[in-house]
C-alpha cells in the first residue's frame, strides 16, 4: 500500500506546464486583427481554426498509430471511429440548438463549440502521444 501511495505521489508531482499551441496563437492573432469587424468574420476564422485542428488531429492520430502495438492500434482505431460518430452527432445537436436562437452571436457560439470539440480531441491524442515520452 505504501508503494502504491508513493508511486501515486510521484505522478501527482508531475507539473503540467501550459504551452500555447500554434493553432491557438494563430486564432488569437486573427481574432485580434482590426479587419475583423463582424460576427461573420469571427465565424470564418473560427471555422478555419476548426479545420486546422481537424488536420492536426489527423496528423497526431497517424503519428500515434505508428508508435502503437497492433492491439493498441485496434483499440485506438475503434475509439477514434466512435469519437467521429460522437463529433457528428454532437455537431448536429449544436447546430439544432443554435439555429433555434435569434442573433448572430449564437451562431458564433455554435461555431466555437464545434471548433472546441475537435480541438479537445486533438489535445487528447497529443496527451496519449506524450505518454510515450515519459
Amino acid at each position: 500500500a505504501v508503494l502504491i501511495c508513493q508511486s501515486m505521489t510521484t505522478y501527482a508531482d508531475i507539473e503540467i506546464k501550459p504551452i500555447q499551441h500554434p493553432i491557438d496563437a494563430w486564432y488569437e492573432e486573427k481574432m485580434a486583427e482590426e479587419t475583423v469587424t463582424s460576427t461573420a468574420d469571427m465565424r470564418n476564422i473560427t471555422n478555419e481554426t476548426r479545420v486546422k485542428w481537424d488536420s492536426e488531429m489527423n496528423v497526431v492520430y497517424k503519428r500515434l498509430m505508428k508508435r502503437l502495438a497492433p492491439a493498441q492500434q485496434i483499440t485506438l482505431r475503434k475509439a477514434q471511429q466512435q469519437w467521429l460518430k460522437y463529433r457528428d452527432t454532437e455537431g448536429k445537436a449544436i447546430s439544432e440548438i443554435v439555429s433555434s436562437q435569434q442573433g448572430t452571436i449564437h451562431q458564433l457560439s455554435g461555431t466555437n463549440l464545434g471548433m472546441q470539440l475537435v480541438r479537445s480531441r486533438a489535445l487528447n491524442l497529443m496527451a496519449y502521444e506524450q505518454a510515450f515520452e515519459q
Side-chain angles (χ1 to χ4, degrees), residues 11-126:
Y11 287 112
D13 290 341
I14 295 173
E15 182 179 346
I16 299 173
K17 297 177 184 175
I19 298 172
Q20 187 176 41
H21 191 278
I23 295 173
D24 290 332
W26 179 89
Y27 174 77
E28 289 179 12
E29 199 173 291
K30 285 293 195 184
M31 290 296 260
E33 288 179 356
E34 289 180 18
T35 57
V36 177
T37 58
S38 68
T39 48
D41 293 338
M42 290 184 256
R43 282 188 71 206
N44 288 336
I45 292 166
T46 304
N47 269 323
E48 194 172 342
T49 305
R50 181 188 48 77
V51 170
K52 288 177 180 292
W53 275 115
D54 191 65
S55 294
E56 181 72 5
M57 176 186 66
N58 290 325
V59 166
V60 174
Y61 173 81
K62 289 174 185 173
R63 199 169 54 218
L64 182 57
M65 286 294 280
K66 289 179 184 177
R67 298 178 78 178
L68 297 176
Q72 294 170 321
Q73 289 176 350
I74 291 168
T75 302
L76 181 60
R77 186 176 299 111
K78 286 179 183 177
Q80 187 68 5
Q81 289 168 347
Q82 289 299 312
W83 183 86
L84 291 170
K85 288 177 185 177
Y86 165 75
R87 179 204 59 194
D88 294 345
T89 304
E90 189 70 11
K92 287 178 186 175
I94 290 167
S95 181
E96 286 186 27
I97 292 167
V98 169
S99 67
S100 69
Q101 304 297 311
Q102 297 294 321
T104 58
I105 195 69
H106 295 290
Q107 293 172 352
L108 177 59
S109 177
T111 304
N112 187 54
L113 288 169
M115 183 268 290
Q116 291 296 334
L117 192 64
V118 178
R119 178 184 180 273
S120 177
R121 181 61 177 170
L123 293 174
N124 285 340
L125 291 174
M126 287 177 202

